[in-house]
Each structure stands twice: as C-alpha cells, then as structure tokens.
Amino acid sequence: MDVGFIGLGSMGKAMASNLIKAGHALRVWNRSPEPANDLVAAGARALNHPAEAFAGDAVITMLADDDAVRDVVLREGVLDAAAKHMVHVNMATISVALAQELVAIHKKRGLAYVAAPVFGVPEAARAAKLNILAAGEEAAVSRVQPLFDAMGQKTWPLGPEPHRANAVKLAGNLMIGAAVEAMGEATALGRAHGVSSADLLDILTKTLFPGPVYQRYGASIAAGTYEPAAFKLRLGLKDVRLALQAGDATHVPLPFGSVLRDNLLAAVAQGDGEKDWSALADVAHRRAGLKG
C-alpha cells in the first residue's frame, strides 16, 4: 500500500519501520525532520508538509496529544487536500471529545476515518507486537488491516464509532496507572516494615499479580530504575486527565482517577515528568518518609 505517516516519536518511528519491512511504500513527515533520516535510509520518502501525506491509500497519524493533532491535522489546508479515496488512521492517544470532532470533520469532507490507538511500549512497537484497538466503518478498517498486521500482533475491533477505541485506550491506561499506584503504596508499606521493594514485588508478581503490567512496572519499581522511559510520566498524567474528562462528559464518577491524577501531578511537580511513569511509586514512598 501507498502510506503516509505523520509523527515519528519513539512509537511512531518503530511502527513506520515495520511498514517498510512489510513492503509498503512509505512517505513520512515529522515536525522535527531528524527522526525521518533512518526511515529515508530504509526506503521511505521524506515530505515537506503534512498535507502531502494525505494521499495514496492511507495516512497514519501518531502524534503526542490533542494539541499536536489539532496543530498538524487540522491546520489550514491539510484535510482539504486529502485524496477522497484514502483512509485516515489516527493511532494517537487523544480525548474522546476530539475523536468525535474528527469524525464529524472527516465526514463533512467525505473522508474515511479510523481510530486505532495501541497498547504497547516502544519495545513492543519495534517487535510488531502491539495490540491495536480499531474502530470505524467496517470497509475502512478492512482496507487498512494489512497495515495493522504489519505493526501489531492482534487487532481488536470495536465497531463503527471511532471514539470507542479511544475510550478503551483511556480506560486501559487508567487501569495501568492504578496498578502502578497500588504497587507504590504496597512497597511503601513493605519497606516501612523492613521488606524491600524487590522482595515484595518478586513474590506478588509471581503469585497474586502475574500479569505483564505488574511484572513490567514492578521490575522498574523494584530496581528504582525509571530511565529511559518506556512511557513518560507526564504522558500518563495527560491520559488520566483525558479519562476524567471522558467520565465527566457522560456523568461517570472516577474517584480513584482523581487520586491518580493528583499523585501524578505531584510527581511532575517533583521533577519526575520525563521519567517512566512507574516513578509514580516514589510519590507513595516520599509520602511515607522513605528515601531512595
């Protein structure tokens, strides 16, 4: 397929690389041009303007947040220049409200729109092991399924309304944050009674909580190693805020989400925003008067 790709951060660059490996013709654009260099060396073509990506069979956008999507995708002329037959696949983690707005904007222009946020860190993206949450008109999703197959290990269909995929993504990240907070509080309790974080989490992640979230982030908490970040804490705060907004819009109370937001905000205020969001555990440790 002839594919445009916008947004070459640690996730986007890995995903784009796998599309090239799968034989797709790739055209790439990034707000800072440097990340495109390796992809160009692998066979991609660098673009001068995001509007140029909205041609061919599909365009994938993998941008950091709502503001970036608005700045890049909704800037003057980008969607107006889009080929009518192409599918826009937005794989970014954005608000439910913006997802609904994008559906209306694309429909007005006669453009196909698919929401496909992912579960997975850059390591999974490089290995093409992402779980992809796909929602949109069935025909549009089917057309871009070969792209999902090149980037992920499984596609989870969520029906014709794109915002459903964004709601699932935010709900999932809310649960991950809750798991990290729980491990932070549990290890603070253990340390206060002479049990190391490593010993406590070794037991708990091999017995009661053997899932990948507990094991991945538990290992980081046990070692006290939060850099380099697989997922930056400031982005976790962004996603929890988006989950709370989605709850407000539908009158869904998320009381623990509010606690999680405040603790993440405390971590950012204490200088941990660029660290992996497993560093949230240190908020609980500091609160208990525990250092290091």
Side-chain angles (χ1 to χ4, degrees):
M1 296 177 68
D2 180 7
V3 185
F5 202 109
I6 295 174
L8 302 174
S10 56
M11 290 290 289
K13 186 176 179 180
M15 294 158 67
S17 178
N18 284 327
L19 291 175
I20 296 172
K21 292 175 184 176
H24 298 288
L26 203 67
R27 294 166 289 105
V28 298
W29 184 88
N30 197 61
R31 287 192 288 184
S32 56
E34 292 80 9
N37 292 338
D38 290 341
L39 295 172
V40 170
R45 180 163 65 91
L47 303 175
N48 295 316
H49 191 278
E52 298 175 45
F54 282 78
D57 301 307
V59 58
I60 293 172
T61 49
M62 188 62 174
L63 296 159
D65 52 28
D66 281 27
D67 288 343
V69 172
R70 289 186 182 280
D71 180 56
V72 174
V73 177
L74 299 184
R75 70 164 65 178
E76 184 177 355
V78 170
L79 290 180
D80 291 332
K84 297 303 181 183
H85 63 275
M86 67 108 227
V87 180
H88 177 198
V89 184
N90 186 9
M91 304 189 79
T93 301
I94 62 170
S95 68
V96 170
L98 179 56
Q100 293 169 324
E101 182 181 345
L102 287 169
V103 169
I105 289 170
H106 283 73
K107 184 175 181 179
K108 183 178 179 180
R109 289 168 170 78
L111 302 173
Y113 178 79
V114 171
V118 303
F119 287 136
V121 296
E123 179 184 352
R126 287 189 291 271
K129 294 295 185 183
L130 296 172
N131 279 281
I132 299 173
L133 313 169
E137 292 297 330
E138 185 176 357
V141 174
S142 295
R143 284 168 58 191
V144 295
Q145 186 61 51
L147 306 181
F148 296 156
D149 292 340
M151 295 182 287
Q153 62 178 319
K154 184 175 176 63
T155 301
W156 300 85
L158 287 161
E161 296 181 328
H163 77 273
R164 294 179 184 175
N166 300 100
V168 172
K169 170 63 176 179
L170 295 176
N173 278 11
L174 181 68
M175 290 181 69
I176 294 172
V180 174
E181 173 66 22
M183 286 189 285
E185 294 186 20
T187 51
L189 177 62
R191 288 180 60 191
H193 290 276
V195 180
S196 72
S197 296
D199 285 345
L200 186 143
L201 290 171
D202 184 53
I203 294 168
L204 295 182
T205 61
K206 291 179 180 176
T207 56
L208 300 177
F209 302 97
V213 167
Y214 288 99
Q215 291 173 345
R216 170 181 290 276
Y217 294 109
S220 182
I221 294 167
T225 304
Y226 307 123
E227 296 175 295
F231 183 66
K232 291 182 180 181
L233 190 146
R234 63 176 173 80
L235 296 178
L237 173 59
K238 180 263 294 185
D239 289 353
V240 170
R241 282 172 166 161
L242 294 183
L244 289 169
Q245 290 173 14
D248 286 346
T250 48
H251 308 295
V252 176
L254 299 171
F256 190 74
S258 297
V259 172
L260 187 56
R261 175 202 56 210
D262 289 349
N263 288 345
L264 287 163
L265 186 59
V268 170
Q270 291 159 359
D272 292 338
E274 296 301 309
K275 295 179 180 178
D276 189 82
W277 75 328
S278 51
L280 172 64
D282 279 358
V283 174
H285 296 177
R286 288 189 288 257
R287 194 164 51 229
L290 302 167
K291 297 181 180 180

